[in-house]
Amino acid sequence: MTLIKKFIIEFGMGMDFHGQDVNKAAGKAIKDAISRSCLIGLNQIHGLTEENLNEKMMIEAIIGVSRPEDLNIEELKKLFPVGKVTITARKGGLTTAGLFFPGFGDTDDTIEAAIVCVTVSV
């Protein structure tokens, strides 16, 4: 039996300035978190390879947005290039005043901000 251990925890933040779309904000937060991580130790320390990476690498993402029930979890999982991904949506993030330009897709004058915590375990 293999014991799974946490390898890295990274945070990301993303905003949808126009359109108030929690999925766009969450997607940007995910990309922000994973763009700052080079997990070289997966290979050099843990011996993971291209052949077993998807099987042995576990990714947990916790996403906070103002309307977690509106997140498309299956689409957001596709933003992770490798690993077994689970996503948990929570009420959080931030909604703040912005500009109301209907031509830009706005439904009101707010900006939707999301935060994500990504944990990689092996």
Side-chain angles (χ1 to χ4, degrees), residues 25-76:
K28 289 177 181 180
I30 289 169
K31 290 176 184 177
D32 182 47
I34 64 176
S35 71
R36 288 194 305 267
S37 302
C38 177
L39 307 180
I40 194 165
L42 291 174
N43 174 258
Q44 294 187 355
I45 296 170
H46 291 285
L48 273 62
T49 65
E50 285 185 68
E51 291 75 31
N52 66 13
L53 190 60
N54 284 321
E55 174 189 331
K56 295 191 175 197
M57 182 175 151
M58 312 302 168
I59 299 171
E60 176 188 17
I62 301 170
I63 303 172
V65 292
S66 66
R67 298 181 320 278
E69 66 277 4
D70 291 346
L71 286 178
N72 185 334
I73 301 298
E74 292 307 312
E75 285 301 311
L76 292 170

Side-chain angles (χ1 to χ4, degrees), residues 91-105:
K91 180 107 172 124
L94 176 70
T95 302
T96 190
L99 295 173
F100 179 61
F101 288 169
F104 288 6

Side-chain angles (χ1 to χ4, degrees), residues 13-24:
M13 183 175 64
M15 283 75 58
D16 185 24
F17 291 104
H18 296 285
Q20 300 72 43
D21 188 326
V22 293
N23 286 288
K24 285 183 183 177

